[in-house]
Amino acid sequence: MGHHHGHSHGHGHSHAHTSNKRALLLSFIIIASFMIIEVIGGIWTNSLALLSDAGHMLSDAAALGLSFLAIKLGERKATLSKTFGYKRFEIIAASINGITLILISLYIFYEAFHRFFDPPVVQSTGMLTISILGLLVNIIAAWILMSGDKEENLNVRSAFLHVLGDMLGSVGAIIAALLIMFFGWGIADPIASVIVAVLVLISGWRVTKESIHVLMEGTPRQLDLGSIKKALVEINGVEDVHDLHTWSITSELIMLSCHMTISSPNGHDEILHKAQAILHDSFHIEHSTIQIELKEKGCPSHHGTCN
């Protein structure tokens, strides 16, 4: 089964790969550096909306940086002590990232709550300038990622969506700055920051939930165990399928293991081959470990030990 490793190794694969890596790294650098400017600007202009947009940019920079690292670490070969290479690192980093985002958004809510009761003086001109720059930075990053190959890579696609969400944050800050400039509505600043904080919270929650599901060896969301079991039991000569486990190393790398009881010893290889073909073709599971047991020797009840 070892020959189908990758997913869709076309000819343009390595080219798409490097262009993805470059696109991710470049947009990461741009967004991360602007995030620092925005934090400084938020403190200087006393604008919470800018700070929360910076928080959103952090979620972005983290997503981009992680996607880049995932590609980079995915290139490292597996070793005997880490048999999946470093692919899991991406998930661990994602969970830390998700938790950080949740904390940031809670901090923004807390700050905004205070600002609703006594709106501070915000330097709206500085705020406007920085938020317009922020919008431009996001547009540039989105444009760079557009040139990446989105069909090929899930990471690039999610990074692109992040950047789009980020644009909303900048637009919010721009609107708030204009309202403060023209109408003196100081309250626009905490309102804009709460809206952005909600976005940050949602993405933080989603990332945390997904990564923890993977770390808990949960069944990959796109799989339906019931239908996998049904498909395997329908193979000629298969009596029963038990101890069925599926889990994922990263969102793209799915593993499956199970025990199969067969009625007669002949056709053993054929059944195994057929089972792996079904898993591969219908469920896109590249790595399966199937243990075959004979009916009479197997476990009549699935308790006791099977030899």
Side-chain angles (χ1 to χ4, degrees), residues 3 115 123 126 130 147 173 191 193 234 244 254 272 290 295:
H3 50 277
R115 290 192 168 213
Q123 269 174 284
I130 293 172
S147 63
I191 291 175
S193 49
E234 275 168 8
L244 175 60
I254 297 175
L272 189 55
I290 299 174
K295 193 180 172 190

Side-chain angles (χ1 to χ4, degrees), residues 190-210:
I191 291 175
S193 49
V194 165
I195 294 171
V196 179
V198 170
L199 294 176
V200 176
L201 184 64
I202 291 170
S203 66
W205 174 249
R206 214 183 51 231
V207 171
T208 309
K209 208 176 72 174
E210 281 178 19

Side-chain angles (χ1 to χ4, degrees), residues 28-295:
F28 169 71
I29 292 169
I30 293 175
I31 285 191
S33 6
F34 191 78
M35 177 191 88
I36 296 164
I37 295 173
E38 212 170 21
V39 169
I40 296 166
I43 295 167
W44 168 64
T45 59
N46 198 7
S47 161
L48 188 59
L50 282 185
L51 283 177
S52 56
D53 192 39
H56 199 193
M57 279 208 154
L58 174 69
S59 80
D60 244 12
L64 291 163
L66 275 178
S67 307
F68 175 71
L69 271 178
I71 293 183
K72 200 80 192 118
L73 288 171
E75 293 167 356
R76 294 181 68 161
K77 291 286 166 279
T79 60
L80 285 177
S81 67
K82 293 189 176 57
T83 54
F84 292 113
Y86 287 81
K87 292 185 165 51
R88 244 313 156 77
F89 172 77
E90 173 192 346
I91 306 288
I92 295 169
S95 60
I96 295 169
N97 167 24
I99 292 165
T100 311
L101 293 182
I102 292 173
L103 294 176
I104 287 176
S105 62
L106 294 177
Y107 169 73
I108 294 168
F109 284 131
Y110 169 79
E111 270 292 300
F113 182 73
H114 286 294
R115 290 192 168 213
F116 274 116
F117 296 110
D118 81 274
V121 181
V122 178
Q123 269 174 284
S124 47
T125 341
M127 179 179 169
L128 184 64
T129 318
I130 293 172
S131 49
I132 288 175
L133 278 175
L135 185 59
L136 291 175
V137 165
N138 282 317
I139 291 171
I140 293 168
W143 183 75
I144 292 172
L145 288 172
M146 280 287 286
S147 63
D149 177 20
K150 284 188 294 303
E151 279 58 64
E152 169 74 28
N153 194 316
L154 231 153
N155 284 323
V156 178
R157 201 164 55 230
S158 69
F160 180 68
L161 292 174
H162 259 275
V163 174
L164 286 185
D166 219 358
M167 284 183 188
L168 294 174
S170 297
V171 170
I174 291 173
I175 294 170
L178 291 171
L179 289 174
I180 294 169
M181 276 174 90
F182 292 110
F183 302 106
W185 291 353
I187 199 120
D189 180 62
I191 291 175
S193 49
V194 165
I195 294 171
V196 179
V198 170
L199 294 176
V200 176
L201 184 64
I202 291 170
S203 66
W205 174 249
R206 214 183 51 231
V207 171
T208 309
K209 208 176 72 174
E210 281 178 19
S211 51
I212 287 182
H213 182 74
V214 175
L215 291 174
M216 297 280 296
E217 309 288 0
T219 298
R221 249 199 324 285
Q222 63 270 40
L223 291 185
D224 170 19
L225 278 195
S227 55
I228 293 181
K229 188 166 180 169
K230 197 162 143 268
L232 292 177
V233 173
E234 275 168 8
I235 299 173
N236 242 336
V238 174
E239 292 280 321
D240 176 39
V241 170
H242 54 275
D243 284 334
L244 175 60
H245 300 284
T246 67
W247 66 102
S248 55
I249 302 303
T250 67
S251 48
E252 282 112 26
L253 182 59
I254 297 175
M255 318 293 288
L256 173 142
S257 72
C258 68
H259 291 190
M260 245 181 194
T261 313
I262 58 174
S263 38
S264 80
N266 32 9
H268 162 288
D269 291 345
E270 212 169 300
I271 288 176
L272 189 55
H273 202 80
K274 203 174 275 181
Q276 290 186 316
I278 288 174
L279 291 173
H280 182 266
D281 302 340
S282 316
F283 302 101
H284 307 294
I285 298 172
E286 308 268 348
H287 302 267
S288 47
T289 308
I290 299 174
Q291 177 175 325
I292 290 197
E293 301 162 348
L294 267 181
K295 193 180 172 190

